[in-house]
Amino acid sequence: MPDPAPSRATSLPVGSDADLARVRRQIRQAAAGLGFGLVQQTKLVTAASELARNTLVHGGGGHVEITPLTLGEPRGLRLSFVDHGPGISDIELAMTDGYTSGGGLGLGLSGSRRLVDEFALDTEPGTGTTVTVTSWTTAIPAARPGAR
């Protein structure tokens, strides 16, 4: 399958609680506009909310790139959360359910990974972190033979 063609990306700052609300709203609107169902929208916005908060709290702020992906059907939404903070020294540990470096529940990275179709983490101690997630719309299931 050829790579999907990215549409024009939108970059939003992640530097305050007000930015977190704006990011959630923009992602929900983009997902709805691409035809994501309500459950898909909720999963994507939940993952994005966790990742944006990590960008702010652990990375000292940064930005998110929101990129619609189109290649007929399905359509997708790629989100890249970028910070220039301290980075993650132990990725395996950070991806473990229950691990937290900041007093939370420890489900941010691992929980976000379960809510999206694709998850990539690029980090280096001292240079920052980029987490890129992608979710795709799903086709309507075909009717079962004999179903009316």
Side-chain angles (χ1 to χ4, degrees):
M1 179 168 131
D3 287 335
S7 298
R8 186 174 182 93
T10 301
S11 182
L12 297 175
V14 178
S16 69
D17 285 339
D19 289 340
L20 297 178
R22 191 172 9 268
V23 164
R24 286 190 297 267
R25 186 172 49 253
Q26 185 76 26
I27 290 169
R28 184 171 298 278
Q29 289 172 350
L34 287 167
F36 281 73
L38 185 58
V39 171
Q40 289 176 299
Q41 289 176 41
T42 301
K43 286 180 176 181
L44 185 58
V45 170
T46 300
S49 183
E50 290 293 330
L51 297 172
R53 174 141 317 271
N54 282 356
T55 300
L56 178 62
V57 172
H58 302 293
H63 70 277
V64 59
E65 296 276 333
I66 303 168
T67 308
L69 303 171
T70 57
L71 181 67
E73 293 293 331
R75 287 167 293 194
L77 196 57
R78 179 183 303 137
L79 309 173
S80 293
F81 296 86
V82 180
D83 70 58
H84 299 289
I88 301 170
S89 58
D90 188 336
I91 295 171
E92 188 175 332
L93 181 60
M95 293 299 298
T96 303
D97 283 350
Y99 172 77
T100 179
S101 63
L105 295 176
L107 296 174
L109 287 175
S110 61
S112 294
R113 180 174 56 184
R114 285 191 295 273
L115 293 171
V116 297
D117 297 313
E118 299 169 22
F119 182 99
L121 175 67
D122 182 24
T123 187
E124 189 173 320
T127 63
T129 301
T130 299
V131 178
T132 302
V133 299
T134 305
S135 287
W136 298 97
T137 59
T138 55
I140 299 170
R144 293 187 319 248
R148 296 183 188 197

